[in-house]
Amino acid sequence: MSVSAVSARRLAAAALAAAAVTGAAALPASAADARPNRPVVKISAVQYDAPGRNDRSARSLNQEWVELTNTTRQTVNLNGWKLSDRDGVTYTFRNYRLAPRATVRVHTGVGRDTRTDVFQDRRREVWDNRSDTATLRTDRGRFVYSASWGRDRHQGRDNDRRNGNDDRRNGHHDNNNDRRHGHDGRDRH
């Protein structure tokens, strides 16, 4: 390789590096400080196996839930956001804003929505006890976060690889502190 080709490569690399530094400096402070791998809203816990007998009662269904946590200091408008399982069963948020640093629990069964609890109004279980993936997407379909458990836990599209650190024997998945509840071994689907 000639000296001029090596010099041209070095000059091009230096120009690209300078452009990257200039571009980052031109970003607003909030965009420059943002961590691209850190989601604004994350799935912080999943209770996929309701404790006790699964009899499809409102009480039983509402003990199956997914918790979402706003990790920022600003309210996040979840209107139109979708929470779905691996089979495509989807819950769409309607007129809901998640306060800063707050958590909302999305229950499977029927109930009255509050700031801390919303209800899918379903008459059947959603989350598969043996393995499933809960996926959160924005109103425009952009992937936000997912949590997997059971045999498919390593195949999920998790932003945080700690998601899915659950065991097939357990019915409760909590990414924050791995609290566990018993699993009765029955598959819901």
Side-chain angles (χ1 to χ4, degrees):
M1 193 178 290
S2 70
V3 173
S4 60
V6 171
S7 296
R9 280 185 154 167
R10 287 184 181 163
L11 184 58
L16 286 172
V21 169
T22 302
L27 289 174
S30 62
D33 294 339
R35 296 181 196 168
N37 292 332
R38 188 169 186 182
V40 171
V41 177
K42 70 178 192 172
I43 297 172
S44 50
V46 176
Q47 173 68 47
Y48 55 83
D49 184 13
R53 186 168 176 237
N54 293 331
D55 59 6
R56 293 191 184 159
S57 67
R59 183 172 185 231
S60 175
L61 289 172
N62 286 331
Q63 289 193 34
E64 179 182 89
W65 46 258
V66 174
E67 279 186 352
L68 305 179
T69 300
N70 178 352
T71 63
T72 71
R73 294 180 186 171
Q74 298 171 349
T75 298
V76 176
N77 184 357
L78 297 183
N79 189 39
W81 285 38
K82 297 179 183 329
L83 177 65
S84 61
D85 74 347
R86 184 182 56 222
D87 296 328
V89 176
T90 303
Y91 169 74
T92 303
F93 285 88
R94 300 282 181 232
N95 302 316
Y96 187 83
R97 294 181 184 274
L98 186 56
R101 307 277 188 221
T103 297
V104 62
R105 191 172 276 186
V106 182
H107 299 272
T108 298
V110 176
R112 187 170 187 187
D113 293 350
T114 67
R115 285 184 317 170
T116 58
D117 296 275
V118 296
F119 298 83
Q120 296 189 44
D121 296 333
R122 297 189 185 279
R123 307 271 184 223
R124 291 191 57 137
E125 296 88 353
V126 171
W127 309 107
D128 189 329
N129 292 351
R130 291 193 180 157
S131 70
D132 210 339
T133 298
T135 301
L136 181 65
R137 294 187 180 276
T138 66
D139 58 333
R140 296 180 180 207
R142 184 180 62 84
F143 173 83
V144 176
Y145 209 84
S146 71
S148 298
W149 56 92
R151 66 179 175 264
D152 295 336
R153 69 182 186 214
H154 299 296
Q155 296 170 5
R157 299 172 301 250
D158 296 333
N159 281 347
D160 180 349
R161 285 297 173 196
R162 288 173 295 155
N163 281 351
N165 280 348
D166 200 14
D167 189 311
R168 283 198 320 192
R169 295 169 300 176
N170 299 311
H172 180 217
H173 179 106
D174 184 335
N175 294 326
N176 292 330
N177 62 11
D178 275 348
R179 290 175 298 191
R180 306 286 196 225
H181 294 285
H183 171 59
D184 65 5
R186 288 180 286 166
D187 189 1
R188 292 192 178 156
H189 294 289

